[in-house]
Amino acid sequence: MKYYSTNGKAPLASLQKAVVKGLAEDRGLYMPERIQRLPEAFFRADGSFVELSTRVANAFFGEDVPAADLQRIVAETLSFDCPLHQVEPGIYALELFHGPTLAFKDVGARFMARLLQHFNDGKGPVNVLVATSGDTGSAVANGFLGVDGIRVFVLYPKGKVSPIQECQFTTLGQNITALEIDGTFDDCQALVKAAFMDAELNEALRLTSANSINVARFLPQAFYYFWAYAQLQRLGLADNVVCCVPSGNFGNICAALFGKRMGLPVKRFIAANNANSVFYEFLQTGSYRPRPSVQTIANAMDVGDPSNFARIWDLYGRSPEAIRADISGATYSDAQIEETIRDCYARTGYLLDPHGACGYRALKESPQPGEVGFFCETAHPAKFKDTVERIIGAPVAIPERLAAFMQGEKRSIPLGKDFEGFKQFLLG
Ligand SMILES: *Cc1c(COP(=O)(O)O)cnc(C)c1O
């Protein structure tokens, strides 16, 4: 299958090129030329998370990756479950936080690492550069950990990520190198961008990026939605399903919308935002006006120009009406997020994280008769321990997996924010 650019000014690319390059030459995002509809029988079939996901992966990547390899890649990626948890009647949390770093980006990162390894032609290691303000670095570092032929450099701003986040990418060793940059997140991102533009560096090293614009990172997230549907169906609740996704860069919900194109019987979608409400406003006005992000307590959704908007825009033929027919929006202030966490915990005993709280609230505020809804609980509340403890006024236990990271020895290399120093480091 070929991949085209959402900007329409780059040549069609193979899957291999789309995965290795990430972004098209015209700076557009790659889209698959066709989206295969799954037969109705698929939605009635029994099967495990891995079995259903292998079928979905096959629809996307089956022409380009041999079936046995794809099956292994999916099985290795999904070494943990994504269970549905009933929070209250008619509202389910799809818990996407049971992977190594306790947030949903694990699946995309693990899948991408294995697909990149599959496509590596053996001409020396592939170097993955990733700038992080916290969550992406841990998912990518853990997803790529121990994968042969790939080296990962995580650039993070010194003193500006939480201790829990920091230990998730500085204690791993092996093929993961953490670079502690004396600067801000924007400085880290600028260093990575400059590296991709530097001719000498690209001559000497094979560089790639692992952010959510990569097709290999966002498409596998569709697995979640087929699995949620299968679980609801086993409960006899699959007739009028509403799916709500807390959204930042819109990669996760975009994968869900691809699922719908493949025939997934979800009635409607909700994109839940924090105070960064560019998409919400787009739904109201029909015009897309990106702007700088504002900081919130749901910080993995602090995005002012969601990169996957380009994919949604393309998928719906650039029609705001068509988008509105499938997706509604919601936006919540920090105060509303706090109120939601407190209220849900007091009434149901279920502890939300600040991102999932936006999803829960958006679902709860828009019920229609006969609907059953699920929202993605995108991170474990312990990842935001200080915030959540302050909100509920009680201690939050740290899961063993997370505690284990905190026991490891922190190793990182301090670097300044000047490009020359970073470049010499990579070359040496
Ligand atoms: C990345 C992230 C999101 C936002 O997902 P997008 O695919 O960028 O929309 C939501 N919640 C958590 C916890 C995240 O880490």
Side-chain angles (χ1 to χ4, degrees), residues 103-105 135 246-252 300-301 353 355 378-379 384:
F104 85 91
K105 291 185 179 71
D135 257 11
S247 296
N249 261 321
F250 282 69
N252 200 6
M301 304 183 342
D353 95 290
H355 307 79
T378 48
F384 305 91

